Amino acid sequence: MGDEKMLEKPQERKGRLTLVLALATLISTFGSSFQYGYNVAVVNSPAPFMQQFYNQTYLDRYGTPMADSFLTLLWSLTVSMYPLGGFFGSLMVAPLVNKIGRKGTLLFNNIFSIVPAIMMGASEAAESYEIIIVARILVGICAGLSSNVVPMYLGELSPKNLRGAIGIVPQLFITIGILTAQVLGIRNILGHSTGWPIMLALTGVPAVVELLLLPFFPESPRYMLIQKGDEKTARRDLQRLRGWEEVDEELQEMRLEDQSERVEGRLSVLNLFSFRSLRWQLVSVIAMNMGQQLSGVNAIYYYADSIYGSAGVKESDIQYVTVGTGTVNVIMTIAAVFIVEATGRKLLLLSGFGICCGACVLLTVALTFQESVEWMPYLSICCVIIYVIGHAIGPSPIPYVVTTEMFRQSSRPAAFMVAGSVHWLSNFTVGLVFPFMEKGLGTYCFIIFSFICLATLVYIWIVVPETKNKTFLEISQLFAEKNGTEIVVEPEDLDFKELKPRESSQEDMKVTAF
């Protein structure tokens, strides 16, 4: 009875946002997630000046102007190498986070930011557009790693009652990165013929900040305990993160999770797809990441400038309206941080995809009739803003949070690798296919996006459970019935783990796979 009371006491205590947890969150998201967003938007505004540089470089080298078709090819490579690099970065997630840890991977990842930042900054002086294209692959690798590792790292640092809110902070910094690139891209700031190399090089600044400050913060305690078998470090780091000494119950929950996984067997990246107890979790992660990227978010941004132009916004003012749209994106993502723990993950996903679906249908109608009906262009602008709001509260941030929560320690790196690969391949596919869709279907291409939003919404409604305020083990048990499996945690395991935590951890370390 005495032991039970000791376990109950910490249970009543909710995790709080300590200074260590807050700073670890801010440094890792600014150093990694911010760059992802920044590099998404950084080439948009200075595109004409960069293409002018491509042309001039070619003329200086070969004495003849570059053919338009070759310039188009080079520019599409400059843009599309980024998501392709993201895909390669996603493939590196599982081996790196298992070998050098979550924090270690983020520190290592800064190589893929600082080196290309120097390359892009020096490209004009070196008179080489090839350097920019290669550098875009490298910053893509950086984004592919950070977009998966940061949510995993923060999900494992956070107490369960703050996991959703902290899990959205990476997406918040992605939107801040996009907005920063849009602001710096204004013609009067850096979006001009001499400012674009500086703009491209600035991506290295957050990496340097992270490289200098992140080493002072803890590695994931779950990684230290379950995969490294280092209970002493895990306990010390957990005490720093929680701001109190009594962390036995949380350590116990980690041991139980580890014990149940050890009973049912470890898995590798290769057999993740055939592992029955993770079937619906894996399908859900693939569905959500495909829905997130194929829902038309990139197409909406692509169309935004022409929509604003048709509504009578002066061409010189469109850049300011784009910054306004980016600001709405940031504000709504901040709102999601504060409401996710109250509303839960599922409601935000459902409402987000629902809003995006409705906005796509309305946008199709508005774009179809905007020539004949005077006020239709203004409806188009409203649809763009409503779509951005819908995507920002659900489809953009929540899939990362849910991916962290649906998988336990041994399968999480492999799951993030799959999720990241799907995310970046879908992103790459939209970039590749959308211009042809636009030519063939015109404004009706948004109907396809509305169907994708609707299909994703229906899937989430039927299959994905609410994961708010649950332990990783409890979430696995929610999926066990769907998968037709049992999560094995015997009562006697608790006693066994209390008696011999170190031995078990050491044994698990030997059998840990991806």
Side-chain angles (χ1 to χ4, degrees):
M1 281 295 285
D3 286 345
E4 281 174 18
K5 278 179 186 171
M6 279 176 71
L7 281 173
E8 278 171 21
K9 207 171 183 183
Q11 230 168 1
E12 294 163 11
R13 183 187 280 180
K14 284 193 168 185
R16 56 198 172 93
L17 188 62
T18 58
L19 185 63
V20 173
L21 180 57
L23 289 175
T25 302
L26 289 174
I27 290 162
S28 59
T29 50
F30 174 68
S32 295
S33 306
F34 176 90
Q35 289 186 68
Y36 169 14
Y38 184 81
N39 285 300
V40 164
V42 75
V43 294
N44 293 351
S45 187
F49 304 105
M50 289 177 70
Q51 288 174 22
Q52 201 177 314
F53 162 68
Y54 285 19
N55 236 326
Q56 190 59 47
T57 303
Y58 190 88
L59 183 63
D60 292 345
R61 275 189 206 170
Y62 305 109
T64 55
M66 190 184 284
D68 283 349
S69 57
F70 187 56
L71 179 60
T72 305
L73 173 66
L74 282 181
W75 187 249
S76 65
L77 281 174
T78 305
V79 175
S80 62
M81 284 302 104
Y82 182 65
L84 193 64
F87 171 67
F88 292 134
S90 296
L91 296 181
M92 296 161 66
V93 170
L96 280 175
V97 295
N98 283 307
K99 186 78 177 169
I100 59 176
R102 282 67 167 145
K103 185 180 83 169
T105 302
L106 290 177
L107 292 170
F108 169 77
N109 192 28
N110 289 312
I111 294 169
F112 297 111
S113 175
I114 294 166
V115 171
I118 295 166
M119 288 168 69
M120 290 188 289
S123 58
E124 192 178 31
E127 296 182 350
S128 171
Y129 47 74
E130 295 89 348
I131 285 179
I132 297 173
I133 294 168
V134 172
R136 288 284 289 174
I137 297 175
L138 295 177
V139 290
I141 291 171
C142 174
L145 274 164
S146 67
S147 64
N148 292 290
V149 180
V150 175
M152 190 192 308
Y153 176 58
L154 296 182
E156 292 179 10
L157 291 190
S158 310
K160 64 181 180 181
N161 60 300
L162 293 176
R163 210 164 49 219
I166 288 174
I168 292 177
V169 176
Q171 181 61 32
L172 172 61
F173 271 82
I174 290 170
T175 62
I176 293 170
I178 292 170
L179 179 60
T180 304
Q182 288 169 340
V183 170
L184 291 177
I186 290 170
R187 296 283 180 265
N188 298 336
I189 304 177
L190 288 175
H192 48 75
S193 56
T194 54
W196 65 263
I198 300 166
M199 217 177 137
L200 295 182
L202 284 175
T203 188
V205 174
V208 172
V209 171
E210 184 176 58
L211 207 53
L212 292 174
L213 298 181
L214 196 61
F216 297 103
F217 291 87
E219 177 56 271
S220 158
R222 303 188 89 84
Y223 171 77
M224 294 311 297
L225 180 69
I226 295 175
Q227 283 169 269
K228 286 294 179 186
D230 187 349
E231 184 175 333
K232 189 180 174 186
T233 305
R235 181 183 292 277
R236 186 195 66 212
D237 288 348
L238 209 49
Q239 286 167 342
R240 281 182 71 199
L241 287 162
R242 298 294 174 263
W244 52 60
E245 294 295 310
E246 305 86 13
V247 293
D248 286 341
E249 198 222 353
E250 203 168 342
L251 287 169
Q252 187 59 40
E253 183 258 311
M254 291 179 199
R255 293 193 199 110
L256 272 177
E257 177 189 330
D258 188 37
Q259 176 73 355
S260 73
E261 285 193 314
R262 209 155 48 84
V263 169
E264 67 186 26
R266 295 279 182 170
L267 73 161
S268 68
V269 173
L270 293 175
N271 66 21
L272 181 68
F273 283 91
S274 61
F275 210 66
R276 193 176 166 189
S277 68
L278 295 172
R279 185 178 298 160
W280 281 105
Q281 291 96 309
L282 196 60
V283 173
S284 299
V285 162
I286 290 169
M288 283 187 291
N289 277 277
M290 285 182 75
Q292 181 198 59
Q293 288 300 307
L294 301 180
S295 59
V297 63
N298 297 322
I300 288 280
Y301 279 118
Y302 179 87
Y303 249 99
D305 284 8
S306 64
I307 289 168
Y308 298 147
S310 67
V313 178
K314 287 181 192 172
E315 197 175 331
S316 58
D317 293 340
I318 285 175
Q319 56 184 341
Y320 300 108
V321 182
T322 304
V323 167
T325 311
T327 306
V328 169
N329 199 1
V330 171
I331 291 166
M332 293 315 299
T333 309
I334 291 170
V337 171
F338 290 102
I339 63 175
V340 66
E341 293 301 349
T343 59
R345 289 68 158 137
K346 190 168 181 173
L347 182 62
L348 286 182
L349 281 169
L350 292 174
S351 54
F353 276 111
I355 290 167
C356 291
C357 178
C360 283
V361 173
L362 264 180
L363 186 58
T364 306
V365 174
L367 290 172
T368 305
F369 294 105
Q370 74 176 6
E371 298 294 326
S372 51
V373 182
E374 196 180 326
W375 50 268
M376 276 296 177
Y378 301 103
L379 179 62
S380 301
I381 290 179
C382 290
C383 288
V384 170
I385 293 166
I386 290 165
Y387 182 96
V388 168
I389 288 170
H391 217 274
I393 62 166
S396 282
I398 306 296
Y400 297 110
V401 178
V402 176
T403 303
T404 303
E405 293 180 326
M406 287 198 300
F407 293 87
R408 288 178 288 158
Q409 195 70 17
S410 68
S411 54
R412 195 173 295 125
F416 264 99
M417 198 190 88
V418 172
S421 302
V422 170
H423 171 100
W424 287 101
L425 275 178
S426 301
N427 187 328
F428 182 69
T429 303
V430 170
L432 210 62
V433 172
F434 179 69
F436 299 102
M437 275 176 65
E438 190 206 352
K439 265 185 189 168
L441 297 171
T443 56
Y444 294 103
C445 62
F446 289 103
I447 290 291
I448 293 173
F449 295 133
S450 70
F451 276 118
I452 291 169
C453 289
L454 184 62
T456 313
L457 185 153
V458 170
Y459 178 87
I460 291 165
W461 187 35
I462 294 169
V463 178
V464 178
E466 180 52 70
T467 56
K468 182 182 82 168
N469 212 22
K470 291 181 170 64
T471 66
F472 295 121
L473 194 56
E474 286 166 348
I475 294 162
S476 292
Q477 287 167 332
L478 287 176
F479 275 101
E481 197 179 327
K482 283 186 177 70
N483 291 321
T485 58
E486 247 181 275
I487 300 296
V488 185
V489 186
E490 299 294 336
E492 54 266 27
D493 288 341
L494 183 63
D495 300 330
F496 172 74
K497 297 304 276 187
E498 281 177 339
L499 286 168
K500 304 202 294 188
R502 280 180 197 277
E503 289 85 338
S504 300
S505 295
Q506 293 296 341
E507 182 186 336
D508 292 348
M509 187 172 67
K510 292 171 192 167
V511 294
T512 299
F514 294 149

PDB file of all heavy atoms in Angstrom, residues 418-443:
ATOM      1  N   VAL A 418       9.640   6.776 -42.384  1.00  0.00           N
ATOM      2  CA  VAL A 418       8.562   6.520 -43.357  1.00  0.00           C
ATOM      3  C   VAL A 418       7.723   7.791 -43.551  1.00  0.00           C
ATOM      4  O   VAL A 418       7.439   8.200 -44.682  1.00  0.00           O
ATOM      5  CB  VAL A 418       7.668   5.346 -42.894  1.00  0.00           C
ATOM      6  CG1 VAL A 418       6.439   5.206 -43.793  1.00  0.00           C
ATOM      7  CG2 VAL A 418       8.459   4.041 -42.883  1.00  0.00           C
ATOM      8  N   ALA A 419       7.323   8.423 -42.419  1.00  0.00           N
ATOM      9  CA  ALA A 419       6.493   9.639 -42.486  1.00  0.00           C
ATOM     10  C   ALA A 419       7.215  10.740 -43.268  1.00  0.00           C
ATOM     11  O   ALA A 419       6.614  11.402 -44.128  1.00  0.00           O
ATOM     12  CB  ALA A 419       6.175  10.134 -41.076  1.00  0.00           C
ATOM     13  N   GLY A 420       8.495  10.923 -42.974  1.00  0.00           N
ATOM     14  CA  GLY A 420       9.273  11.963 -43.655  1.00  0.00           C
ATOM     15  C   GLY A 420       9.425  11.688 -45.138  1.00  0.00           C
ATOM     16  O   GLY A 420       9.318  12.601 -45.968  1.00  0.00           O
ATOM     17  N   SER A 421       9.653  10.418 -45.488  1.00  0.00           N
ATOM     18  CA  SER A 421       9.790  10.048 -46.905  1.00  0.00           C
ATOM     19  C   SER A 421       8.502  10.334 -47.665  1.00  0.00           C
ATOM     20  O   SER A 421       8.526  10.897 -48.766  1.00  0.00           O
ATOM     21  CB  SER A 421      10.155   8.562 -47.036  1.00  0.00           C
ATOM     22  OG  SER A 421      11.348   8.290 -46.354  1.00  0.00           O
ATOM     23  N   VAL A 422       7.369   9.956 -47.065  1.00  0.00           N
ATOM     24  CA  VAL A 422       6.064  10.209 -47.690  1.00  0.00           C
ATOM     25  C   VAL A 422       5.828  11.717 -47.823  1.00  0.00           C
ATOM     26  O   VAL A 422       5.390  12.198 -48.877  1.00  0.00           O
ATOM     27  CB  VAL A 422       4.922   9.552 -46.863  1.00  0.00           C
ATOM     28  CG1 VAL A 422       3.548  10.002 -47.357  1.00  0.00           C
ATOM     29  CG2 VAL A 422       5.022   8.036 -46.939  1.00  0.00           C
ATOM     30  N   HIS A 423       6.128  12.457 -46.759  1.00  0.00           N
ATOM     31  CA  HIS A 423       5.960  13.910 -46.746  1.00  0.00           C
ATOM     32  C   HIS A 423       6.728  14.568 -47.891  1.00  0.00           C
ATOM     33  O   HIS A 423       6.164  15.344 -48.673  1.00  0.00           O
ATOM     34  CB  HIS A 423       6.451  14.445 -45.392  1.00  0.00           C
ATOM     35  CG  HIS A 423       6.540  15.931 -45.302  1.00  0.00           C
ATOM     36  ND1 HIS A 423       5.568  16.691 -44.696  1.00  0.00           N
ATOM     37  CD2 HIS A 423       7.481  16.816 -45.739  1.00  0.00           C
ATOM     38  CE1 HIS A 423       5.905  17.975 -44.772  1.00  0.00           C
ATOM     39  NE2 HIS A 423       7.059  18.074 -45.385  1.00  0.00           N
ATOM     40  N   TRP A 424       8.015  14.248 -48.000  1.00  0.00           N
ATOM     41  CA  TRP A 424       8.855  14.929 -48.992  1.00  0.00           C
ATOM     42  C   TRP A 424       8.601  14.431 -50.413  1.00  0.00           C
ATOM     43  O   TRP A 424       8.676  15.215 -51.366  1.00  0.00           O
ATOM     44  CB  TRP A 424      10.327  14.774 -48.621  1.00  0.00           C
ATOM     45  CG  TRP A 424      10.678  15.614 -47.438  1.00  0.00           C
ATOM     46  CD1 TRP A 424      10.823  15.206 -46.139  1.00  0.00           C
ATOM     47  CD2 TRP A 424      10.889  17.033 -47.419  1.00  0.00           C
ATOM     48  NE1 TRP A 424      11.111  16.263 -45.324  1.00  0.00           N
ATOM     49  CE2 TRP A 424      11.160  17.406 -46.074  1.00  0.00           C
ATOM     50  CE3 TRP A 424      10.877  18.033 -48.397  1.00  0.00           C
ATOM     51  CZ2 TRP A 424      11.427  18.724 -45.709  1.00  0.00           C
ATOM     52  CZ3 TRP A 424      11.139  19.337 -48.032  1.00  0.00           C
ATOM     53  CH2 TRP A 424      11.406  19.673 -46.707  1.00  0.00           C
ATOM     54  N   LEU A 425       8.288  13.139 -50.572  1.00  0.00           N
ATOM     55  CA  LEU A 425       7.950  12.629 -51.918  1.00  0.00           C
ATOM     56  C   LEU A 425       6.651  13.254 -52.417  1.00  0.00           C
ATOM     57  O   LEU A 425       6.523  13.593 -53.595  1.00  0.00           O
ATOM     58  CB  LEU A 425       7.827  11.094 -51.902  1.00  0.00           C
ATOM     59  CG  LEU A 425       9.131  10.313 -52.061  1.00  0.00           C
ATOM     60  CD1 LEU A 425       8.859   8.814 -51.986  1.00  0.00           C
ATOM     61  CD2 LEU A 425       9.825  10.636 -53.392  1.00  0.00           C
ATOM     62  N   SER A 426       5.670  13.407 -51.496  1.00  0.00           N
ATOM     63  CA  SER A 426       4.395  14.043 -51.860  1.00  0.00           C
ATOM     64  C   SER A 426       4.627  15.505 -52.231  1.00  0.00           C
ATOM     65  O   SER A 426       4.054  16.013 -53.201  1.00  0.00           O
ATOM     66  CB  SER A 426       3.394  13.945 -50.707  1.00  0.00           C
ATOM     67  OG  SER A 426       3.153  12.603 -50.366  1.00  0.00           O
ATOM     68  N   ASN A 427       5.474  16.181 -51.458  1.00  0.00           N
ATOM     69  CA  ASN A 427       5.840  17.575 -51.727  1.00  0.00           C
ATOM     70  C   ASN A 427       6.472  17.697 -53.114  1.00  0.00           C
ATOM     71  O   ASN A 427       6.105  18.564 -53.924  1.00  0.00           O
ATOM     72  CB  ASN A 427       6.820  18.038 -50.637  1.00  0.00           C
ATOM     73  CG  ASN A 427       7.138  19.513 -50.701  1.00  0.00           C
ATOM     74  OD1 ASN A 427       7.173  20.114 -51.758  1.00  0.00           O
ATOM     75  ND2 ASN A 427       7.388  20.105 -49.552  1.00  0.00           N
ATOM     76  N   PHE A 428       7.412  16.805 -53.402  1.00  0.00           N
ATOM     77  CA  PHE A 428       8.121  16.780 -54.690  1.00  0.00           C
ATOM     78  C   PHE A 428       7.136  16.509 -55.832  1.00  0.00           C
ATOM     79  O   PHE A 428       7.193  17.140 -56.888  1.00  0.00           O
ATOM     80  CB  PHE A 428       9.212  15.707 -54.637  1.00  0.00           C
ATOM     81  CG  PHE A 428      10.044  15.616 -55.888  1.00  0.00           C
ATOM     82  CD1 PHE A 428      10.928  16.628 -56.231  1.00  0.00           C
ATOM     83  CD2 PHE A 428       9.960  14.503 -56.710  1.00  0.00           C
ATOM     84  CE1 PHE A 428      11.705  16.549 -57.378  1.00  0.00           C
ATOM     85  CE2 PHE A 428      10.729  14.411 -57.860  1.00  0.00           C
ATOM     86  CZ  PHE A 428      11.608  15.435 -58.201  1.00  0.00           C
ATOM     87  N   THR A 429       6.212  15.571 -55.603  1.00  0.00           N
ATOM     88  CA  THR A 429       5.221  15.194 -56.622  1.00  0.00           C
ATOM     89  C   THR A 429       4.313  16.372 -56.966  1.00  0.00           C
ATOM     90  O   THR A 429       4.044  16.630 -58.147  1.00  0.00           O
ATOM     91  CB  THR A 429       4.356  14.003 -56.132  1.00  0.00           C
ATOM     92  OG1 THR A 429       5.229  12.925 -55.804  1.00  0.00           O
ATOM     93  CG2 THR A 429       3.376  13.544 -57.193  1.00  0.00           C
ATOM     94  N   VAL A 430       3.839  17.082 -55.937  1.00  0.00           N
ATOM     95  CA  VAL A 430       2.974  18.247 -56.181  1.00  0.00           C
ATOM     96  C   VAL A 430       3.719  19.291 -57.011  1.00  0.00           C
ATOM     97  O   VAL A 430       3.180  19.835 -57.977  1.00  0.00           O
ATOM     98  CB  VAL A 430       2.473  18.869 -54.851  1.00  0.00           C
ATOM     99  CG1 VAL A 430       1.787  20.206 -55.093  1.00  0.00           C
ATOM    100  CG2 VAL A 430       1.496  17.930 -54.175  1.00  0.00           C
ATOM    101  N   GLY A 431       4.981  19.548 -56.654  1.00  0.00           N
ATOM    102  CA  GLY A 431       5.784  20.522 -57.394  1.00  0.00           C
ATOM    103  C   GLY A 431       5.973  20.125 -58.845  1.00  0.00           C
ATOM    104  O   GLY A 431       5.982  20.966 -59.750  1.00  0.00           O
ATOM    105  N   LEU A 432       6.074  18.817 -59.070  1.00  0.00           N
ATOM    106  CA  LEU A 432       6.313  18.283 -60.418  1.00  0.00           C
ATOM    107  C   LEU A 432       5.029  18.251 -61.248  1.00  0.00           C
ATOM    108  O   LEU A 432       5.010  18.630 -62.420  1.00  0.00           O
ATOM    109  CB  LEU A 432       6.878  16.859 -60.285  1.00  0.00           C
ATOM    110  CG  LEU A 432       7.817  16.352 -61.365  1.00  0.00           C
ATOM    111  CD1 LEU A 432       9.077  17.197 -61.431  1.00  0.00           C
ATOM    112  CD2 LEU A 432       8.181  14.894 -61.067  1.00  0.00           C
ATOM    113  N   VAL A 433       3.924  17.814 -60.618  1.00  0.00           N
ATOM    114  CA  VAL A 433       2.676  17.554 -61.340  1.00  0.00           C
ATOM    115  C   VAL A 433       1.786  18.794 -61.460  1.00  0.00           C
ATOM    116  O   VAL A 433       1.061  18.950 -62.451  1.00  0.00           O
ATOM    117  CB  VAL A 433       1.901  16.397 -60.653  1.00  0.00           C
ATOM    118  CG1 VAL A 433       0.510  16.217 -61.243  1.00  0.00           C
ATOM    119  CG2 VAL A 433       2.685  15.101 -60.754  1.00  0.00           C
ATOM    120  N   PHE A 434       1.849  19.683 -60.468  1.00  0.00           N
ATOM    121  CA  PHE A 434       0.893  20.797 -60.434  1.00  0.00           C
ATOM    122  C   PHE A 434       0.899  21.678 -61.688  1.00  0.00           C
ATOM    123  O   PHE A 434      -0.175  22.022 -62.196  1.00  0.00           O
ATOM    124  CB  PHE A 434       1.093  21.662 -59.187  1.00  0.00           C
ATOM    125  CG  PHE A 434       0.142  22.824 -59.127  1.00  0.00           C
ATOM    126  CD1 PHE A 434      -1.218  22.611 -58.922  1.00  0.00           C
ATOM    127  CD2 PHE A 434       0.583  24.121 -59.328  1.00  0.00           C
ATOM    128  CE1 PHE A 434      -2.110  23.668 -58.894  1.00  0.00           C
ATOM    129  CE2 PHE A 434      -0.299  25.183 -59.300  1.00  0.00           C
ATOM    130  CZ  PHE A 434      -1.652  24.959 -59.083  1.00  0.00           C
ATOM    131  N   PRO A 435       2.073  22.047 -62.242  1.00  0.00           N
ATOM    132  CA  PRO A 435       2.040  22.874 -63.460  1.00  0.00           C
ATOM    133  C   PRO A 435       1.246  22.224 -64.600  1.00  0.00           C
ATOM    134  O   PRO A 435       0.539  22.903 -65.342  1.00  0.00           O
ATOM    135  CB  PRO A 435       3.526  23.016 -63.836  1.00  0.00           C
ATOM    136  CG  PRO A 435       4.250  22.839 -62.543  1.00  0.00           C
ATOM    137  CD  PRO A 435       3.444  21.843 -61.770  1.00  0.00           C
ATOM    138  N   PHE A 436       1.358  20.870 -64.723  1.00  0.00           N
ATOM    139  CA  PHE A 436       0.604  20.161 -65.770  1.00  0.00           C
ATOM    140  C   PHE A 436      -0.886  20.122 -65.436  1.00  0.00           C
ATOM    141  O   PHE A 436      -1.739  20.255 -66.317  1.00  0.00           O
ATOM    142  CB  PHE A 436       1.145  18.734 -65.926  1.00  0.00           C
ATOM    143  CG  PHE A 436       2.593  18.691 -66.336  1.00  0.00           C
ATOM    144  CD1 PHE A 436       3.594  18.424 -65.412  1.00  0.00           C
ATOM    145  CD2 PHE A 436       2.973  18.936 -67.651  1.00  0.00           C
ATOM    146  CE1 PHE A 436       4.932  18.397 -65.773  1.00  0.00           C
ATOM    147  CE2 PHE A 436       4.312  18.908 -68.036  1.00  0.00           C
ATOM    148  CZ  PHE A 436       5.286  18.641 -67.097  1.00  0.00           C
ATOM    149  N   MET A 437      -1.209  19.923 -64.151  1.00  0.00           N
ATOM    150  CA  MET A 437      -2.614  19.948 -63.709  1.00  0.00           C
ATOM    151  C   MET A 437      -3.232  21.311 -64.007  1.00  0.00           C
ATOM    152  O   MET A 437      -4.363  21.412 -64.476  1.00  0.00           O
ATOM    153  CB  MET A 437      -2.705  19.682 -62.202  1.00  0.00           C
ATOM    154  CG  MET A 437      -2.716  18.226 -61.814  1.00  0.00           C
ATOM    155  SD  MET A 437      -2.706  18.037 -60.018  1.00  0.00           S
ATOM    156  CE  MET A 437      -4.274  18.753 -59.571  1.00  0.00           C
ATOM    157  N   GLU A 438      -2.455  22.352 -63.735  1.00  0.00           N
ATOM    158  CA  GLU A 438      -2.950  23.713 -63.940  1.00  0.00           C
ATOM    159  C   GLU A 438      -3.230  23.968 -65.422  1.00  0.00           C
ATOM    160  O   GLU A 438      -4.244  24.569 -65.782  1.00  0.00           O
ATOM    161  CB  GLU A 438      -1.914  24.707 -63.417  1.00  0.00           C
ATOM    162  CG  GLU A 438      -2.402  26.143 -63.362  1.00  0.00           C
ATOM    163  CD  GLU A 438      -1.282  27.148 -63.464  1.00  0.00           C
ATOM    164  OE1 GLU A 438      -0.104  26.748 -63.423  1.00  0.00           O
ATOM    165  OE2 GLU A 438      -1.601  28.328 -63.610  1.00  0.00           O
ATOM    166  N   LYS A 439      -2.330  23.471 -66.280  1.00  0.00           N
ATOM    167  CA  LYS A 439      -2.530  23.646 -67.723  1.00  0.00           C
ATOM    168  C   LYS A 439      -3.737  22.866 -68.218  1.00  0.00           C
ATOM    169  O   LYS A 439      -4.535  23.369 -69.006  1.00  0.00           O
ATOM    170  CB  LYS A 439      -1.275  23.173 -68.478  1.00  0.00           C
ATOM    171  CG  LYS A 439      -0.306  24.302 -68.782  1.00  0.00           C
ATOM    172  CD  LYS A 439       0.841  23.800 -69.630  1.00  0.00           C
ATOM    173  CE  LYS A 439       1.911  24.892 -69.744  1.00  0.00           C
ATOM    174  NZ  LYS A 439       3.151  24.381 -70.307  1.00  0.00           N
ATOM    175  N   GLY A 440      -3.858  21.622 -67.756  1.00  0.00           N
ATOM    176  CA  GLY A 440      -4.927  20.750 -68.239  1.00  0.00           C
ATOM    177  C   GLY A 440      -6.296  21.055 -67.649  1.00  0.00           C
ATOM    178  O   GLY A 440      -7.308  20.982 -68.343  1.00  0.00           O
ATOM    179  N   LEU A 441      -6.336  21.366 -66.351  1.00  0.00           N
ATOM    180  CA  LEU A 441      -7.621  21.522 -65.652  1.00  0.00           C
ATOM    181  C   LEU A 441      -7.953  22.968 -65.299  1.00  0.00           C
ATOM    182  O   LEU A 441      -9.102  23.278 -64.964  1.00  0.00           O
ATOM    183  CB  LEU A 441      -7.618  20.688 -64.358  1.00  0.00           C
ATOM    184  CG  LEU A 441      -7.492  19.173 -64.515  1.00  0.00           C
ATOM    185  CD1 LEU A 441      -7.276  18.530 -63.158  1.00  0.00           C
ATOM    186  CD2 LEU A 441      -8.722  18.586 -65.181  1.00  0.00           C
ATOM    187  N   GLY A 442      -6.948  23.834 -65.322  1.00  0.00           N
ATOM    188  CA  GLY A 442      -7.187  25.228 -64.935  1.00  0.00           C
ATOM    189  C   GLY A 442      -7.628  25.320 -63.486  1.00  0.00           C
ATOM    190  O   GLY A 442      -7.083  24.647 -62.605  1.00  0.00           O
ATOM    191  N   THR A 443      -8.664  26.114 -63.246  1.00  0.00           N
ATOM    192  CA  THR A 443      -9.135  26.320 -61.870  1.00  0.00           C
ATOM    193  C   THR A 443      -9.757  25.068 -61.252  1.00  0.00           C
ATOM    194  O   THR A 443      -9.883  24.968 -60.034  1.00  0.00           O
ATOM    195  CB  THR A 443     -10.166  27.464 -61.828  1.00  0.00           C
ATOM    196  OG1 THR A 443     -11.230  27.153 -62.726  1.00  0.00           O
ATOM    197  CG2 THR A 443      -9.537  28.777 -62.239  1.00  0.00           C
TER     198      THR A 443
END
